[in-house]
């Protein structure tokens, strides 16, 4: 009797492909969000697999804060070109220029929260009704409670207390005009699964994930990259260190940490012994309040 | 090779469930320093004198404010042999909906009893739901053995009691472990205090349960999800039918039948992005190329000519009701989603409501409210291709959707074709 059992990575991939196909089959106008981070790179990879040999049957959207790592922007363009994908950019700068959102001020100003408005505007403008994202349940406790297919009302809002039960592999994607669904195909993956999969599938990632020399300064226990978007506060001092990033977001809220890991093998080893979650280690945006993520999500954040 | 195993666990703080999960997570290094510190700080702030691990995943503001778990909490841990997804739900009867949801995909149910109290109403309810949802393995952890002086007699008494109850249920693989979650006996390490127990600790059991035959590998079922037509020069005439294998082992060259058309053809190829494969089995996501150019679309079912699912508009099912705002009644119309097919359905008859504590049937019941379970006869506007739920959880299940609100209001497990 042959062994009809999949490895955990194959089983997770099969589930994700099923979700992507189901969500696309039941929507009119899907789009995939792509930040250039490892999770969105994996979702994009899985989506390409789901429709092969056809091209990805929907565009890729980047919500651009204007405060990006140059390496990530270059990676974004390369990644989308390699699959023959179509890129849509929702620009925070544009929203600021048009007066639709107001730039935060002060040394801790970040454009992270400002992403929600241009995202919802773009969803509205392009009439997207299925929006794929790379959120995982293990990364943050508000995300731990979110559905794989998560309903958004006509204001883009999430109502955590009124979610549709999700059973078996049957997803309810029903929605009306103006409402949309956020789909999270890698909900059940952990950070370790992502790295193992990236290694197995040889998925390219931005170079900032790997150890490199960088000018940084310490703030709130994190090492922030020196950039035109961050103003030093008294006492903060820029020094050059060997660092890498564990998550990749806006430069103003993503912290690095000291690491010598230059290869996927070394990163996997590092993740295996790490005693701090990736968001705890590197995201200033989740530290503001215990329910910071939930509050942003209710407003329509990803 | 590390396999993916899904566990459903349910219960309250009192029976030591959080302590057990905490140990499994902590001992397999899945709780991180910053999470533990945050949970400790939050527990202290609330004045609880133990570290409440529910705070790890009870991330919603309302949950923390009220100190309750509203929902299914998914937790992840792994050992070198297996990667586990644990669906954790509160055990009270008002969370039946959540227990049903958490159990729907589980390979194994982990149920705890307090050795001092033995098998309670709640234990029986959880076990019944485990059986109803077709969870293939049940591990009953007799906890707090330290409080009954590690008594083998007490343990055997509880095991006998549970066995006689479980004989009425449909449970294929039943295991028992005497544990002390608090002291760690038989959780990860074998107990020094209970030398009379010759079995394995909980984690080892979870690592070794044979989940390879949990899926139906006999009846070929392939609900078509999506038709792939590349429109690319190098794939001019390529056409394949994408989906997840819901049953059986499909091989290249097999004769297959497409429903509802009834056309027969052969499997010309099984494609994946990583190249063609010779065979596909659950839960693989693949694309089938067929030997003949026949009309196939989403919602169709591919099977073997001599092993077809039931094809009918009249279905009997056990339905778990999940709506807070409306009740299921005879005559009501809903949408149902079954495999990749959505149909409209009318409730012809609510045959009985089941008391899930006593398993007695109330045939005079006129409706099903939130968390109630009953046997329902329904008629769909177009035929669906199904198997009995106990034979195939994929082709035997459906969800009920209220078309007015788009909400998922019920979950159905098909018992057969209605007369």
């Amino acid at each position: 009797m042959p062994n009809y059992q999949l490895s955990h990575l194959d089983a997770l991939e099969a589930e994700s492909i099923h979700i992507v196909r189901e969500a696309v089959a039941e929507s009119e106008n899907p789009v995939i969000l792509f930040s250039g981070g490892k999770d969105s790179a994996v979702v994009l990879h899985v989506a390409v697999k789901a429709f092969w040999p056809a091209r990805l049957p929907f565009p890729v959207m980047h919500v651009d804060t204007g405060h990006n790592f140059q390496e990530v922007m270059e990676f974004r363009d390369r990644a989308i070109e390699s699959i023959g994908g179509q890129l849509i950019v929702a620009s925070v700068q544009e929203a600021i220029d048009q007066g639709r959102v107001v730039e935060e001020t002060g040394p801790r100003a970040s454009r992270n929260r400002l992403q929600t408005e241009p995202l919802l505007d773009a969803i509205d403008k392009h009439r997207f009704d299925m929006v794929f994202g790379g959120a995982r349940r293990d990364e943050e406790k508000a995300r731990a409670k979110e559905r794989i297919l998560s309903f958004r009302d006509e204001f883009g809002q999430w109502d955590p207390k009124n979610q549709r039960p999700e059973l078996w592999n049957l997803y309810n994607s029903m929605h009306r005009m103006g409402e949309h669904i956020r789909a999270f195909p890698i909900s059940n993956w952990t950070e370790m699964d992502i790295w193992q999969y990236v290694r197995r599938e040889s998925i390219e990632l931005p170079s900032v994930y790997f150890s490199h020399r960088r000018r940084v300064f310490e703030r709130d226990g994190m090492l922030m990259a020196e950039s035109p978007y961050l103003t030093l506060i008294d006492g903060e001092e820029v020094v050059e260190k060997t660092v890498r990033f564990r998550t990749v977001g806006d430069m103003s809220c993503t912290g690095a940490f000291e690491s010598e890991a230059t290869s996927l093998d070394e990163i996997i080893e590092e993740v295996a012994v790490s005693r701090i979650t990736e968001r705890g280690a590197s995201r200033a945006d989740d530290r503001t309040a215990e329910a910071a993520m939930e509050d942003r999500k209710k407003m329509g954040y990803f | 090779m590390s396999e993916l195993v899904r566990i459903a666990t349910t219960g309250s703080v009192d029976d030591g469930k959080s302590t057990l999960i905490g140990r499994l997570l902590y001992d397999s290094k899945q709780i991180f320093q910053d999470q533990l510190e945050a949970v400790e700080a939050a527990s202290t702030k609330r004045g609880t004198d133990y570290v409440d691990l529910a705070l790890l995943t009870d991330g919603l503001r309302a949950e923390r404010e009220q100190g309750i778990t509203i929902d299914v909490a998914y937790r992840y841990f792994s050992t070198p042999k297996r990667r586990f997804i644990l669906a954790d739900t509160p055990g009270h009867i008002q969370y039946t909906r959540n227990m049903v949801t958490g159990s729907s995909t589980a390979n194994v149910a982990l149920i705890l009893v307090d050795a001092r109290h033995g098998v309670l109403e709640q234990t029986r309810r959880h076990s019944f739901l485990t059986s109803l949802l077709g969870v293939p393995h049940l591990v009953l952890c007799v906890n707090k053995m330290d409080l009954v002086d590690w008594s083998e007699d007490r343990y055997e008494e509880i095991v006998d009691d549970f066995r006689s109850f479980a004989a009425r249920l449909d449970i294929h693989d039943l295991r028992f472990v005497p544990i002390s979650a608090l002291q760690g006996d038989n959780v990860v390490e074998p107990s020094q205090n209970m030398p009379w127990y010759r079995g394995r600790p909980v984690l080892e059991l979870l690592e070794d349960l044979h989940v390879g035959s949990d899926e139906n590998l006999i009846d070929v079922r392939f609900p078509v999800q999506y038709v792939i037509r590349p429109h690319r020069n190098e794939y001019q005439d390529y056409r394949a039918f994408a989906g997840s294998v819901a049953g059986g082992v499909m091989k290249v060259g097999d004769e297959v039948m497409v429903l509802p058309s009834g056309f027969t053809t052969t499997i010309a190829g099984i494609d994946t992005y990583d190249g063609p494969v010779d065979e596909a089995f659950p839960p693989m996501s693949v694309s089938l190329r067929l030997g003949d150019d026949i009309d196939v679309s989403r919602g169709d079912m591919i099977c073997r000519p001599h092993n077809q699912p039931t094809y009918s508009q009249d279905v009997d099912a056990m339905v778990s009701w999940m709506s807070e705002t409306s009740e299921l009644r005879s005559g009501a119309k809903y949408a149902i989603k079954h495999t990749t097919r959505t149909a409209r359905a009318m409730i012809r008859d609510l045959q009985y409501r089941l008391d899930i504590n006593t398993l007695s049937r109330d045939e005079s019941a006129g409706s099903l409210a939130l968390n109630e379970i009953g046997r329902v006869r329904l008629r769909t506007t177009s035929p669906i291709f199904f198997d009995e739920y106990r034979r195939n959880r994929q082709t035997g299940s459906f969800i009920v959707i209220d078309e007015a609100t788009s909400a998922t209001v019920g979950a159905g497990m098909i018992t057969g074709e209605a007369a």
Side-chain angles (χ1 to χ4, degrees):
Chain A
M1 176 79 181
N3 180 21
Y4 291 116
Q5 187 72 26
L6 297 180
S7 74
H8 78 283
L9 286 181
D10 285 330
L12 288 169
E13 183 195 65
E15 178 183 78
S16 301
I17 288 176
H18 176 85
I19 293 162
V20 171
R21 286 173 174 165
E22 203 59 16
V24 169
E26 297 205 327
S27 60
E28 297 287 321
N29 203 4
V31 67
I32 186 164
L33 295 177
F34 187 78
S35 67
K38 64 184 189 313
D39 299 327
S40 63
V42 165
V43 176
L44 186 65
H45 185 76
V46 164
V48 167
K49 281 190 156 189
F51 300 102
W52 183 91
R55 288 211 173 82
L56 197 67
F58 45 84
V60 179
M61 177 154 70
H62 178 225
V63 182
D64 181 2
T65 62
H67 289 175
N68 303 291
F69 293 94
Q70 191 51 40
E71 297 90 331
V72 176
M73 294 301 275
E74 288 163 9
F75 164 71
R76 177 196 78 180
D77 293 341
R78 239 183 0 258
I80 294 170
E81 199 197 319
S82 74
I83 58 160
Q86 183 207 339
L87 174 68
I88 293 173
V89 176
S91 162
V92 172
Q93 185 63 54
E94 213 171 88
I96 292 169
D97 294 345
Q98 293 168 356
R100 284 180 290 131
V101 293
V102 179
E103 179 105 63
E104 292 179 6
T105 54
R108 289 170 189 278
S110 160
R111 287 186 169 180
N112 191 51
R113 283 192 314 111
L114 305 185
Q115 296 178 89
T116 303
E117 196 67 27
L119 168 66
L120 293 178
D121 283 350
I123 289 171
D124 202 42
K125 180 179 146 199
H126 296 277
R127 298 182 179 278
F128 292 127
D129 63 346
M130 183 66 68
V131 181
F132 288 103
R136 306 192 324 265
R137 284 175 176 155
D138 80 319
E139 66 180 309
E140 207 285 329
K141 54 192 185 301
R143 287 184 166 169
K145 291 295 167 76
E146 183 152 23
R147 298 296 182 261
I148 288 173
L149 255 59
S150 185
F151 176 78
R152 293 293 189 278
D153 67 13
E154 65 267 48
F155 301 104
Q157 299 179 109
W158 178 53
D159 181 359
K161 280 191 275 188
N162 188 21
Q163 301 194 79
R164 300 171 180 177
E166 252 168 17
L167 301 102
W168 301 291
N169 61 356
L170 296 172
Y171 301 98
N172 175 358
S173 63
M174 211 172 269
H175 58 279
R176 294 195 193 81
M177 184 85 96
E179 301 167 342
H180 72 275
I181 303 278
R182 298 281 172 92
F184 302 110
I186 57 166
S187 288
N188 282 325
W189 299 45
T190 63
E191 184 186 14
M192 183 54 104
D193 299 328
I194 294 287
W195 283 114
Q196 289 176 343
Y197 188 73
V198 164
R199 177 172 62 181
R200 189 185 86 171
E201 303 283 303
S202 306
I203 297 171
E204 196 201 335
L205 290 183
S207 57
V208 298
Y209 277 115
F210 302 91
S211 174
H212 58 285
R213 297 289 290 173
R214 184 178 287 271
R215 288 171 58 78
V216 293
F217 62 92
E218 195 176 327
R219 178 177 289 178
D220 305 330
M222 293 185 285
L223 297 174
M224 307 303 288
E226 181 191 40
S227 78
Y229 318 124
L230 281 171
T231 315
L232 294 184
I233 305 174
D234 280 350
E236 289 174 346
E237 192 190 339
V238 175
V239 288
E240 192 176 291
K241 289 195 162 171
T242 302
V243 299
R244 67 178 200 87
F245 292 84
R246 203 163 149 192
T247 69
V248 168
D250 183 282
M251 278 190 97
S252 64
C253 69
T254 309
F257 65 103
E258 287 188 81
S259 165
E260 302 282 339
T262 54
S263 68
L264 287 172
D265 287 339
E266 284 165 355
I267 288 175
I268 286 169
E269 223 168 278
E270 203 175 75
V271 171
V273 297
S274 170
R275 303 307 297 140
I276 299 183
T277 59
E278 54 182 343
R279 286 202 161 252
S282 61
R283 293 306 272 266
D285 47 333
D286 288 333
R287 295 184 158 199
T288 332
E290 223 191 334
M293 174 66 92
E294 180 184 350
D295 293 342
R296 285 201 309 277
K297 284 184 78 71
K298 280 179 178 166
M299 303 292 289
Y301 188 82
F302 21 89
Chain B
M1 186 182 83
S2 161
E3 298 160 338
L4 191 66
V5 173
R6 296 170 201 257
I7 307 170
T9 178
T10 188
S12 58
V13 175
D14 317 336
D15 54 30
K17 184 193 63 168
S18 287
T19 315
L20 175 65
I21 294 171
R23 277 218 168 260
L24 291 172
L25 297 182
Y26 197 80
D27 291 351
S28 63
K29 299 188 176 59
Q30 301 292 316
I31 295 182
F32 295 95
Q33 200 77 45
D34 54 326
Q35 285 178 314
L36 196 62
E37 282 165 13
V39 166
E40 278 169 356
S43 302
T44 311
K45 207 162 100 188
R46 288 229 195 118
T48 46
D49 50 8
Y50 53 88
V51 175
D52 186 356
L53 287 161
L55 294 169
L56 266 182
T57 45
D58 290 354
L60 302 177
R61 204 180 270 281
E63 291 178 310
R64 283 200 313 279
E65 280 168 6
Q66 298 165 42
I68 52 159
T69 302
I70 290 178
D71 219 291
V72 183
Y74 291 94
R75 300 168 210 263
Y76 305 89
F77 67 101
S78 57
T79 67
K81 283 169 96 167
R82 283 188 168 167
R83 166 70 164 76
F84 296 99
I85 299 179
L86 188 146
D88 182 17
T89 53
H92 299 293
I93 193 154
Q94 66 265 37
Y95 299 109
T96 301
R97 168 175 64 173
N98 309 59
M99 288 179 243
V100 168
T101 301
S103 303
S104 70
T105 51
N107 300 95
V108 47
L110 208 54
I111 297 181
L112 280 90
V113 297
D114 185 322
R116 295 168 303 172
H117 306 136
V119 177
L120 301 175
E121 183 178 272
Q122 175 169 290
T123 321
R124 286 191 283 266
R125 187 169 69 239
H126 296 165
S127 308
F128 166 69
L129 292 175
T130 297
S131 145
L132 181 72
L133 270 295
V135 182
H137 312 274
L138 193 162
V139 178
L140 191 83
C141 301
V142 181
N143 191 23
K144 305 194 185 181
M145 287 300 293
D146 51 319
L147 300 182
V148 294
D149 293 329
W150 314 104
S151 161
E152 183 178 7
D153 288 346
R154 179 61 184 144
Y155 171 71
E156 291 298 342
E157 192 184 349
I158 292 170
V159 168
D160 288 346
D161 190 15
F162 190 81
R163 270 193 203 286
S164 62
F165 162 74
R168 296 159 62 194
L169 303 175
D170 192 16
I171 293 170
H172 301 281
D173 179 23
L174 179 57
R175 313 289 181 101
F176 300 89
V177 193
I179 67 167
S180 166
L182 197 64
Q183 302 195 17
D185 289 67
N186 284 335
V187 177
V188 176
E189 301 292 332
S191 169
Q192 303 300 314
N193 294 306
M194 295 176 279
W196 46 264
Y197 172 71
R198 290 168 204 280
R200 285 171 296 176
V202 177
L203 188 63
E204 262 185 52
L205 258 184
L206 293 174
E207 280 189 305
D208 286 340
L209 282 176
H210 180 66
V211 295
S213 49
D214 288 0
E215 305 271 5
N216 179 324
L217 296 172
I218 297 158
D219 312 308
V220 168
R221 301 288 184 263
F222 189 81
V224 175
Q225 226 186 341
Y226 194 88
V227 181
I228 295 179
R229 283 199 191 85
H231 306 295
R232 292 168 72 166
N233 290 337
E234 62 269 47
Y235 295 100
Q236 281 262 335
D237 299 317
Y238 186 94
R239 193 164 64 119
F241 306 100
S244 307
V245 184
V249 179
M250 315 184 82
K251 293 188 168 71
V252 175
D254 279 355
E255 189 182 25
V256 288
M257 175 180 268
V258 181
L259 296 173
S261 70
F263 287 126
T264 56
T265 178
T266 52
I267 298 177
I270 304 175
D271 288 346
T272 74
Y273 174 90
D274 298 298
V277 293
D278 296 329
E279 55 184 11
F281 52 88
M284 286 172 73
S285 283
V286 295
S287 304
L288 302 184
R289 276 179 290 113
L290 300 179
D292 298 278
D293 190 16
I294 54 177
D295 182 36
V296 182
S297 51
R298 174 174 166 83
D300 288 0
M301 174 74 83
I302 296 176
C303 61
R304 302 271 280 163
H306 302 294
N307 179 344
Q308 299 173 27
T310 307
Y311 177 50
S312 173
Q313 287 175 261
D314 294 292
V315 179
D316 278 341
M318 296 301 291
V319 170
S320 164
W321 201 244
M322 302 187 159
S323 171
E324 284 163 4
T325 53
S326 70
E327 300 190 346
L328 174 143
R329 284 177 200 284
S330 292
K333 295 190 180 78
Y334 300 99
I336 64 162
K337 185 169 179 187
H338 171 259
T339 66
T340 55
R341 186 170 265 252
T342 301
R344 299 192 75 212
M346 187 176 78
I347 308 296
R348 280 171 56 196
D349 186 24
L350 170 62
Q351 294 172 305
Y352 58 84
R353 181 173 59 206
L354 200 68
D355 182 321
I356 59 171
N357 288 325
T358 62
L359 303 189
S360 65
R361 299 170 177 186
D362 179 358
E363 287 173 8
S364 65
S367 69
L368 287 183
L370 176 66
N371 295 318
E372 292 182 339
I373 292 173
R375 178 149 154 151
V376 170
R377 175 159 289 186
L378 47 90
R379 182 171 174 83
T380 57
T381 49
S382 58
I384 59 171
F385 320 106
F386 61 86
D387 296 284
E388 277 178 48
Y389 183 79
R390 47 180 296 177
R391 186 151 180 97
N392 189 320
R393 289 165 98 186
Q394 306 303 324
T395 55
S397 57
F398 60 86
I399 55 171
V400 184
I401 299 168
D402 182 331
E403 289 178 297
T405 62
S406 306
T408 302
V409 290
M413 289 137 280
I414 298 173
T415 52
E417 185 176 7

